[in-house]
Amino acid sequence: MKKVIYSPHLTFRLKFRGIPDELPKTIYLTSKERYFDKDTFKKVAVKRVKSKARVREMAVIYGEVNGQANLITIHPLKKYQKYNRVKSGRWVKL
C-alpha cells in the first residue's frame, strides 16, 4: 500500500469545510472512478459519500511520486461539474 500524505492545504480545507479527517484517504484508497486533469496535470479520485447528512460526490485531487500519494485538496462536486469536465476533455478517465 502506498504512503498517503496530506498537504497543508488539504488539512486546512478539512477544518474549513468540516470534513472528517479520514475521508480524503478513504476516497483515495477506495474510489473506482479516477481521472487525469489535463489543466492541472494532477489525478482526481471521485466517490459518492455521505457528508453533512447528504450523499454527494466528492473529489480528492492528488499526485503520486515514488510510491507516495500526496493528497492536495478535497471538495464536493456541484451537480454537473464532473460531467462538464469530462465532456470538455479536461478530465480524462484513467
Side-chain angles (χ1 to χ4, degrees):
M1 182 163 88
K2 292 182 181 182
K3 182 176 180 184
V4 176
I5 295 174
Y6 284 19
S7 72
H9 176 76
L10 175 62
T11 304
F12 169 75
R13 283 295 177 199
L14 292 176
K15 288 179 181 39
F16 181 76
R17 292 184 173 127
I19 297 170
D21 289 346
E22 72 283 349
L23 188 59
K25 184 175 181 179
T26 301
I27 292 171
Y28 169 74
L29 293 174
T30 64
S31 172
K32 291 180 175 41
E33 195 172 357
R34 295 183 186 270
Y35 300 92
F36 176 75
D37 186 329
K38 290 172 28 177
D39 284 3
T40 64
F41 301 102
K42 301 292 181 205
K43 294 179 181 177
V44 182
V46 176
K47 186 168 182 152
R48 292 186 69 78
V49 295
K50 188 170 185 175
S51 175
K52 297 184 180 180
R54 292 176 43 187
V55 175
R56 59 189 320 172
E57 285 190 311
M58 297 284 275
V60 172
I61 313 306
Y62 66 96
E64 293 175 315
V65 179
N66 299 327
Q68 177 174 294
N70 298 307
L71 306 190
I72 299 164
T73 194
I74 184 171
H75 62 87
L77 292 174
K78 294 179 180 144
K79 194 170 185 178
Y80 291 103
Q81 193 172 8
K82 177 180 73 174
Y83 171 79
N84 288 335
R85 289 185 179 175
V86 170
K87 187 177 178 191
S88 73
R90 176 176 170 177
W91 284 8
V92 179
K93 196 147 180 80
L94 293 176

